[in-house]
Structures are given as structure tokens and as C-alpha cells.
Amino acid sequence: KELGGGGRTALESIVLNEEMQLARAPIDAMGVTVITAAILMEHGSDHLKETVVPALLNGEALTSFGYTEPESGSDVAAAATKAVKDGDEWVISGQKVWNSGAQKADYGILLARTDFSGSKHQGISCFLIPMKQAAIEVRPLHQMNGHSSFNEVFFNEARVPHGNLIASQGEGWRVALTTLAHERSAVATPRPKFPS
């Protein structure tokens, strides 16, 4: 509540979501951004909570998820996008695909490999990367319906401050599981039937 949220329970959030859908309010675009705020509340530093979460909750900033890669499909743990520490920053190189809303995102929740020596579930770290930089190229994927909701994103030595590391180095898989829990909760919310 102190960061701009409603301070409501999970059940109240479900009721609000149902009422917004019944009113046909345009809420879907905020889904990823609200989940990002929840991830930062659970795993983010105090700095990220205080500076980024309010901007997410009041609609000033949008986010996307950078998990899936072209060579590994839905096997998120097989991430090959790499992050190399360079002073107070991380340098990101690689490619993600099926990023919803990346063309409009201010930030991306990004999984990148910071250690290649362990099992594939280890050595993955999670970052909140600023998307508006020259080293990031977003290419829309054109769908059969004429829309371009999804994108492929290329990181060409993009930079992210060390302070934007979510949780700790190597804990990206734990953050990804948190993301999936929030996504499942959102998908499991019953869709109301609209009156005719």
C-alpha cells in the first residue's frame, strides 16, 4: 500500500479482476506489469521496490518477460543468453523470443546465464533491464490475425546496472518459479460470462 498499491488480499484482487472484466475495462495490457511489481515486492531490492514499483502500479512504466529463447523453446532453464559482470554493470548478449509487449516496455524481466559450470537450473540470474537502449533490438512477430503482440528481442552487449539484479546471482530459477505462480493465478481466475 505504501508503494501505491491497493493493499488488498488475493481474494479481493480476484473479485476486482472479475468486475473489471464485466465492465469490459482494458486491463490485459497491465497483466505482465502487475506481475513484475509482485516479483519485485518478493525478490527485489529496497531500491527497486521504492523506485520502480510505484511507476509500475500507476501505469508510468510497462514491462515484458524475457524468458523463452529460439533454440530452447519452453525449456526456460536452457537459457543461453549470457550476462557478464563489468564493474557495476552486467553486459547482456543473446536473444529472446515470444516477448509480449516488448515493443512498448520500459523494463524487461530477463533471465540470463551468469554461470555455465553447474546444472542448467543453476547459474541463471534474473535482471530488471531497461529496454530503451540502442543495444536492444525489438522485432515484432507478425501473426496471422494481422497483430504483432509478440516480439523477438536481441541483446547486443546491452547494459543493466548491478542494482537491477533481482534476488541474488544464480537465483533466477527461483524468481522464474515465482513468476509462473503469479501467471497461473491470473490464468486460473474464472472469466465471467458477459451479459447479452
Side-chain angles (χ1 to χ4, degrees), residues 21-157:
Q21 289 178 36
L22 282 169
R24 298 182 188 222
I27 60 172
D28 290 343
M30 287 296 292
V32 171
T33 299
V34 171
I35 291 173
T36 300
I39 292 165
L40 294 178
M41 290 301 298
E42 189 166 338
H43 299 290
S45 66
D46 289 342
H47 174 72
L48 290 177
K49 290 176 190 173
E50 293 164 7
T51 59
V52 177
V53 170
L56 298 176
L57 295 178
N58 70 24
E60 288 178 11
L62 297 175
T63 59
S64 65
F65 294 149
Y67 286 7
T68 308
E69 297 189 3
E71 298 300 318
S72 54
S74 61
D75 186 3
V76 174
T81 295
K82 66 179 179 178
V84 177
K85 190 96 173 359
D86 181 22
D88 290 337
E89 294 182 311
W90 290 85
V91 180
I92 312 293
S93 299
Q95 180 185 357
K96 299 292 181 177
V97 71
W98 306 117
N99 298 63
S100 301
Q103 72 276 33
K104 297 178 183 174
D106 300 289
Y107 297 101
I109 294 283
L110 174 73
L111 289 182
R113 191 157 298 282
T114 51
D115 182 357
F116 285 83
S117 64
S119 76
K120 69 180 186 177
H121 291 87
Q122 299 171 331
I124 296 174
S125 297
C126 187
F127 300 90
L128 183 72
I129 188 166
M131 292 292 289
K132 309 291 187 197
Q133 54 179 297
I136 297 177
E137 180 186 357
V138 178
R139 292 185 195 164
L141 295 170
H142 302 287
Q143 297 156 229
M144 288 175 54
N145 63 4
H147 297 285
S148 295
S149 307
F150 307 106
N151 304 273
E152 53 185 345
V153 181
F154 298 87
F155 300 91
N156 202 3
E157 296 191 353

